[in-house]
Amino acid sequence: MTTLITNIQQLVNARETSALLRGKALANLPCIEDAFVLIEDGIIADYGAMFELELKVPQLPKHVIDAAGQFVLPTWCDSHTHLVFAASRENEFIDKIKGMSYAEIAAKGGGIINSAAKLNETSEDELFNSAWRRLEEVSKMGTGAIEIKSGYGLTVEGELKMLRVIRKLKERSKLSIKATFLGAHTYPLAYKEDHKGYIDCIINEMLPTIAKEKLADYIDVFCETGFFSPEEMETICKAGMSYGLKPKLHVNQMNSIGGIESAIKLNALSVDHLETMTDSDVKLLSGSGVIGTLLPTAAFFLRMQYQPARQLIDNNCAIALASDYNPGSSPSGNMNFVVALSCIQMKMLPEEAINAATLNGAYAMDIGNELGSITIGKKGNLIFIRPIPSIAYIPYSFGSDLIDKVMINGEFV
Ligand code: NIG
Ligand code: FE
């Protein structure tokens, strides 16, 4: 099917060619006023200013959508989520309000361990159904591509079950989905005193089946004090890499313990969280090809310091924004709020935030050639925004629902 969208007040992030954006380049958000987009069989076939329409599209298709007054953006590319989980954790939310810390909650069997216990009791079908509802929810909020991690199984069966749920989501959803194996999310109770035993289980029992069934695209480790050390992360990632899984890693959330350095050595696709960065961590990241993925809603929800977005951008780093949607540290997958928060609390410019949540998010999932900008040959994934005065109004009016409709592969969701 061919669809022509006309009279777009502003077509946002329209690029002839695209590449990962670093430093100053993040502030450049190319837009076309009074524009059109032509979509053929789900793919962007052409775009331009309305005055070029006759020349570029001499034969108008039957299906024309008038987007007068609207802004059109590429859909959000949410490159870090834990969308598959069995139950919410609002009891811990109350504990936190009363003064307990994230680490204290984890120490008394809450946190990831709590989620793992519930997940292992929940059937694959139930997990699929609840994850499907969340996927539908975030797609209506403008997310068109998403990365989803395992990591709430922590047993061979539990981790495989999660990854099979993600595979089923990939098969049934129109969204672009990437799967990440996060067996090394924490040490399960059975291996509390036997870290080597659990790492052996990840390497010798989980990974071979995951590779055989092609259940994952990436491998992740929670590198943190009390969780996995940089050395343990390197051991686990090297085993994953021997099966072709590239590392996408949780580092520097609470402490800087050498995770950035190890991630660079491993040639990771991204290092995610980054609430706690030393000057030397920033320098290292900026000199590397690794993308820094900032998760401001996790810092917001846990009342932690925000990621040093300004320092990272000013030091020429490539950064992406993601939601970290999970029941413990970010029970929301709303990328509109992620973008707003990054401007309000991390002083990112609206242009920088939109680039980080679209194009760089796509690169942080290795799909920069398919998504993240309005570029010929990329997928027709678009957000239609109700009339607004300017781009800056999107993060400025945080909490307002500005989305009129969302298109995935050329079709409205
Ligand atoms: O990205 N920090 C590690 N993992 C998750 C939270 C997991 C949880 O609390 O359930 C995160 O924030
Ligand atoms: Fe996470």
Side-chain angles (χ1 to χ4, degrees):
M1 186 167 89
T2 304
T3 303
L4 176 68
I5 306 154
T6 58
N7 301 317
I8 302 164
Q9 183 172 337
Q10 206 168 120
L11 182 62
V12 180
N13 218 352
R15 295 171 184 270
E16 236 170 84
T17 57
S18 77
L20 177 68
L21 305 170
R22 316 182 69 89
K24 281 195 178 73
L26 275 153
N28 175 31
L29 184 68
C31 297
I32 302 174
E33 280 181 33
D34 195 20
F36 76 89
V37 179
L38 182 73
I39 296 176
E40 274 172 17
D41 299 324
I43 302 290
I44 299 171
D46 214 338
Y47 67 88
M50 281 304 285
F51 68 78
E52 302 171 296
L53 182 62
E54 221 179 291
L55 188 76
K56 287 191 167 181
V57 190
Q59 190 109 49
L60 296 190
K62 268 199 219 119
H63 192 223
V64 179
I65 297 164
D66 184 0
Q70 298 201 314
F71 279 51
V72 170
L73 276 74
T75 51
W76 307 125
C77 294
D78 189 353
S79 62
H80 180 135
T81 82
H82 309 247
L83 186 91
V84 177
F85 54 87
S88 57
R89 299 203 323 244
E90 66 275 17
N91 292 343
E92 294 176 10
F93 171 62
I94 302 290
D95 286 341
K96 260 178 251 145
I97 291 173
K98 290 182 178 165
M100 274 176 90
S101 73
Y102 187 68
E104 282 165 346
I105 290 168
K108 73 157 201 183
I112 299 165
I113 292 290
N114 176 1
S115 282
K118 299 216 170 95
L119 187 129
N120 281 289
E121 290 163 5
T122 306
S123 74
E124 198 172 308
D125 282 349
E126 282 175 85
L127 285 172
F128 174 81
N129 290 337
S130 62
W132 182 260
R133 283 195 295 274
R134 285 176 212 122
L135 202 56
E136 287 204 311
E137 182 204 4
V138 298
S139 68
K140 286 183 188 135
M141 295 191 288
T143 297
I146 191 165
E147 180 260 15
I148 309 173
K149 299 172 196 297
S150 71
Y152 289 131
L154 309 179
T155 57
V156 178
E157 309 73 48
E159 286 297 308
L160 292 175
K161 183 163 68 177
M162 285 190 83
L163 289 167
R164 287 180 186 131
V165 168
I166 302 171
R167 177 171 63 192
K168 209 152 136 194
L169 294 170
K170 278 191 189 188
E171 287 164 359
R172 304 216 180 151
S173 172
K174 283 195 206 128
L175 271 67
S176 300
I177 298 176
K178 292 283 184 178
T180 300
F181 169 51
L182 175 57
H185 201 182
T186 190
Y187 288 100
L189 292 180
Y191 288 95
K192 211 168 171 227
E193 306 304 328
D194 180 15
H195 289 190
K196 189 182 171 301
Y198 186 55
I199 293 173
D200 285 347
C201 171
I202 290 175
I203 294 176
N204 300 320
E205 295 183 55
M206 296 179 184
L207 270 171
T209 312
I210 291 166
K212 193 161 141 242
E213 295 187 27
K214 296 194 168 55
L215 288 171
D217 303 296
Y218 301 109
I219 185 155
D220 192 350
V221 174
F222 185 22
C223 181
E224 184 56 62
T225 309
F227 293 81
F228 294 82
S229 70
E231 295 72 33
E232 290 167 336
M233 175 170 83
E234 286 185 38
T235 305
I236 295 162
C237 285
K238 280 180 188 154
M241 288 159 78
S242 75
Y243 293 108
L245 306 183
K246 206 168 180 190
K248 259 178 91 62
L249 303 164
H250 280 77
V251 303
N252 291 49
Q253 183 180 9
M254 267 91 71
N255 298 283
S256 170
I257 56 169
I260 300 276
E261 211 173 335
S262 292
I264 294 169
K265 257 199 270 171
L266 291 163
N267 195 19
L269 178 58
S270 68
V271 283
D272 304 16
H273 267 293
L274 314 188
E275 284 88 330
T276 312
M277 293 286 279
T278 64
D279 290 349
S280 115
D281 287 328
V282 173
K283 284 261 140 45
L284 282 173
L285 188 60
S286 109
S288 78
V290 182
I291 300 171
T293 300
L294 315 185
L295 313 170
T297 49
F300 168 74
F301 190 75
L302 298 181
R303 296 186 197 90
M304 286 188 62
Q305 73 271 18
Y306 286 89
Q307 293 82 5
R310 255 321 359 120
Q311 194 192 353
L312 290 163
I313 295 171
D314 296 344
N315 278 278
N316 202 37
C317 292
I319 62 164
L321 285 168
S323 75
D324 199 17
Y325 195 178
N326 78 77
S329 64
S330 180
S332 160
N334 188 344
M335 285 295 285
N336 305 283
F337 184 57
V338 170
V339 166
L341 205 52
S342 71
C343 298
I344 298 164
Q345 292 287 359
M346 307 199 300
K347 298 189 175 164
M348 286 177 72
L349 295 169
E351 292 81 2
E352 291 171 332
I354 291 169
N355 273 323
T358 55
L359 193 53
N360 277 11
Y363 280 102
M365 292 186 270
D366 268 330
I367 49 176
N369 57 344
E370 286 171 42
L371 283 159
S373 62
I374 310 296
T375 301
I376 294 174
K378 288 198 182 184
K379 290 189 179 175
N381 284 17
L382 308 173
I383 302 176
F384 291 66
I385 304 258
R386 289 192 281 110
I388 52 171
S390 73
I391 270 294
Y393 192 85
I394 296 173
Y396 160 83
S397 67
F398 80 95
S400 295
D401 179 12
L402 301 176
I403 297 180
D404 178 43
K405 32 191 188 311
V406 177
M407 181 179 264
I408 303 288
N409 301 335
E411 286 172 32
F412 288 120
V413 299

